[in-house]
Each structure stands twice: as C-alpha cells, then as structure tokens.
C-alpha cells in the first residue's frame, strides 16, 4: 500500500501541538475590520486551538502523518 500524503493546503493552515491538538488561525480578520468590535479584533490575534470534533477530522483526513 502506498504512503498516505498530507494535504498541502492543510499543511499551511494547521499545526499540531505536542499533545496532538490542532492549532489554527482565527477567522474573520482579513477585511471589513471597521465593522468588528475592538474586543473581537483583540481576541482574534495569534492562533487558537481547534474544537476537538473538527480536529479529529483534520487529523484523520488532512494530517495523517502528523
């Protein structure tokens, strides 16, 4: 059986932490920021941990090699 390939777009968007959780960027930061509250923009800085239900799917289908 051939090796499983990692999805290239997922490689650029997600990283796995040492404990196996999926780290991702926060959404809704690209444009129309004048509408967003200052609190939302502040909380959306940096990265966040993906919800476990979504993370299971990403790990299984997109990042099989970790």
């Amino acid at each position: 059986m051939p090796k499983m390939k990692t999805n290239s777009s997922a490689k650029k968007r997600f990283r796995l932490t040492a404990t196996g959780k999926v780290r991702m960027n926060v959404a809704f930061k690209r444009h129309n920021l004048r509408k967003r509250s200052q609190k939302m923009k502040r909380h959306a800085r940096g990265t966040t941990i993906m919800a476990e239900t979504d993370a299971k799917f990403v790990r299984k289908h997109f990042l099989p090699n970790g």
Side-chain angles (χ1 to χ4, degrees):
M1 190 168 185
K3 290 182 180 179
M4 291 183 75
K5 289 190 174 181
T6 297
N7 182 296
S8 289
S9 61
K11 254 191 301 198
K12 298 163 191 168
R13 288 173 171 78
F14 310 121
R15 282 184 325 195
L16 293 181
T17 63
T19 57
K21 295 178 181 175
V22 180
R23 185 171 282 284
M24 65 176 193
N25 290 316
V26 185
F28 308 117
K29 294 187 300 187
R30 298 293 179 208
H31 59 90
N32 291 340
L33 293 174
R34 65 189 179 281
K35 299 178 182 181
R36 317 256 182 243
S37 70
Q38 199 60 39
K39 180 179 179 180
M40 182 270 163
K41 290 188 272 190
R42 198 167 49 243
H43 282 27
R45 268 186 218 144
T47 57
T48 186
I49 300 294
M50 185 181 282
E52 191 50 41
T53 50
D54 299 326
K56 278 182 191 171
F57 187 84
V58 169
R59 276 195 302 268
K60 182 177 178 185
H61 296 288
F62 299 133
L63 302 172
N65 302 320

